[in-house]
Amino acid sequence: MSKKSWSLCAVIVLLLAVTIYSACTGSIKVGGLELVQGLFTGTNKQVEVIRDLRLPRIIVALLVGAALAVSGVLLQAVMRSSLADAGVIGISSGAGFVSILTVSIFPNLFFWMPLFACLGGALACFLVYSFSWKSGLSPIRIILVGIAINATFSGLGQSFNYRGSYAVTSINQAVTSIFTMKNWGDVRIMLLYGTIGLLLAWIVSPWCNLLALQDKSAKNVGLNVSRARLWISAIAVLLAAVATAIGGLIAFVGLLIPHIARLLVGSDHKVLIPFSALAGALLILTADTLGRTVLAPAEIPASIIMTVIGGPFLIFLLRKSDRVYGH
């Protein structure tokens, strides 16, 4: 078997193992066989509690991780920079802020939060492009402008904590990275928007491969570079925004996973995108499982775990940023 095949098999096996462990472990503990039997028979009260409370949390964590990882792959393809990530450059915080702002003004529109998150993410992405462009896109300029925009939107979002209304309290819980109390309604939203985004990402994977070339070379083989960048960016914003609206603000997933994935399966986006989706799901589910079990009954948000991991990794990438993207 090739390195790609081994890597895909390994991440699938690990993902299944962590999913089963996460479902069986917590304040209610059951065996794997007992869990499966209870899900099919519906006679085990402990398994019913797991089905109603823990399984939605697990599925949301899986889908959020996949969406954030693939969003990072797409943004890095568009910007030709391994430093691009929805959390780092402010797309996630922009999505969170616009959600808070809109729902605090119009509480009845709470269930339209994913749409407002997409609009906020698109605004943040536009600002990053606008302020970073100076005779081209510099990776360092993108990350610095993105950090500034991220800080701005994060600060504006945090300012709503002091208003104290019920709507704001609810939405703040929605944009934190603790997956507690996620329900099957959240699963349906993530399945709908997340599946659409992931499928679209795989469909545009040939464009991502061509964007690794110089613009003139890509145009010579028939690619409309501007249109491709616009569509790929829109898909990346959709994935990051819906992940933020349902799963909360989690940085560094789209930074860490694509880099590791390229080392394992290469830069062909037809393989890179599905592998990154699996690896991102594995990473976030592992972080959430550790967060709720290590210091139980207290919980550590997944965003804190990802910050501890991602911060040093960002420093490593910054030191390597003089390398040409894709090589």
Side-chain angles (χ1 to χ4, degrees), residues 65-96:
L68 289 175
V70 173
S71 175
V73 172
L74 298 180
L75 289 172
Q76 290 172 19
V78 169
M79 299 183 181
R80 293 202 189 101
S81 170
S82 59
L83 301 175
D85 168 56
V88 174
I89 66 175
I91 292 176
S92 295
S93 59

Side-chain angles (χ1 to χ4, degrees), residues 266-290:
S267 298
D268 182 0
H269 285 77
K270 290 184 178 180
V271 179
L272 182 63
I273 286 174
F275 182 85
S276 295
L278 293 171
L282 173 62
L283 178 63
I284 292 301
L285 180 60
T286 301
D288 182 57
T289 303
L290 289 174

Side-chain angles (χ1 to χ4, degrees), residues 36-70:
V36 174
Q37 290 176 341
L39 289 175
F40 281 101
T41 61
T43 57
N44 189 317
K45 291 184 178 180
Q46 287 188 319
V47 174
E48 288 182 9
V49 173
I50 291 174
R51 181 193 61 199
D52 293 335
L53 298 178
R54 194 178 297 167
L55 287 186
R57 174 176 186 158
I58 291 171
I59 296 172
V60 167
L62 290 170
L63 293 172
V64 166
L68 289 175
V70 173

Side-chain angles (χ1 to χ4, degrees), residues 59-321:
I59 296 172
V60 167
L62 290 170
L63 293 172
V64 166
L68 289 175
V70 173
S71 175
V73 172
L74 298 180
L75 289 172
Q76 290 172 19
V78 169
M79 299 183 181
R80 293 202 189 101
S81 170
S82 59
L83 301 175
D85 168 56
V88 174
I89 66 175
I91 292 176
S92 295
S93 59
F97 168 68
V98 172
S99 297
I100 294 172
L101 177 64
T102 306
V103 176
S104 63
I105 297 174
F106 305 105
N108 293 334
L109 299 179
F110 180 84
F111 293 102
W112 290 92
M113 186 172 62
L115 174 61
F116 300 129
C118 288
L119 295 176
L123 172 62
C125 187
F126 172 77
L127 292 175
V128 171
Y129 273 111
S130 300
F131 293 124
S132 300
W133 184 268
K134 187 177 181 182
S135 300
L137 287 173
S138 165
I140 298 298
R141 194 182 302 120
I142 289 172
I143 197 70
L144 293 177
V145 171
I147 288 173
I149 291 176
N150 182 37
T152 301
F153 279 125
S154 296
L156 290 171
Q158 288 297 320
S159 68
F160 279 78
N161 287 335
Y162 301 99
R163 295 187 57 181
S165 68
Y166 173 77
V168 173
T169 301
S170 299
I171 194 71
N172 278 335
Q173 290 175 352
V175 298
T176 59
S177 59
I178 296 179
F179 293 99
T180 306
M181 301 306 293
K182 296 302 176 187
N183 54 49
W184 289 106
D186 297 317
V187 172
R188 285 191 290 271
I189 293 174
M190 277 303 305
L191 277 174
L192 174 62
Y193 293 100
T195 302
I196 291 173
L198 292 173
L199 287 174
L200 290 174
W202 189 79
I203 290 172
V204 300
S205 59
W207 291 358
C208 296
N209 288 335
L210 292 176
L211 287 179
L213 306 172
Q214 295 297 323
D215 286 359
K216 290 183 179 180
S217 300
K219 290 178 181 177
N220 288 337
V221 296
L223 179 67
N224 187 325
V225 175
S226 299
R227 185 179 66 181
R229 282 203 173 102
L230 178 62
W231 278 106
I232 294 171
S233 297
I235 296 168
V237 168
L238 168 65
L239 288 169
V242 71
T244 300
I246 302 301
L249 296 169
I250 307 176
F252 298 118
V253 181
L255 193 73
L256 184 68
I257 293 299
H259 183 80
I260 295 174
R262 286 189 186 93
L263 295 176
L264 295 176
V265 299
S267 298
D268 182 0
H269 285 77
K270 290 184 178 180
V271 179
L272 182 63
I273 286 174
F275 182 85
S276 295
L278 293 171
L282 173 62
L283 178 63
I284 292 301
L285 180 60
T286 301
D288 182 57
T289 303
L290 289 174
R292 70 178 174 85
T293 57
V294 171
L295 296 178
E299 291 195 13
I300 305 173
S303 62
I304 293 178
I305 296 175
M306 287 308 305
T307 301
V308 172
I309 298 173
F313 191 78
L314 176 58
I315 295 172
F316 169 77
L317 284 184
L318 284 169
R319 291 180 62 86
K320 292 282 188 178
S321 61

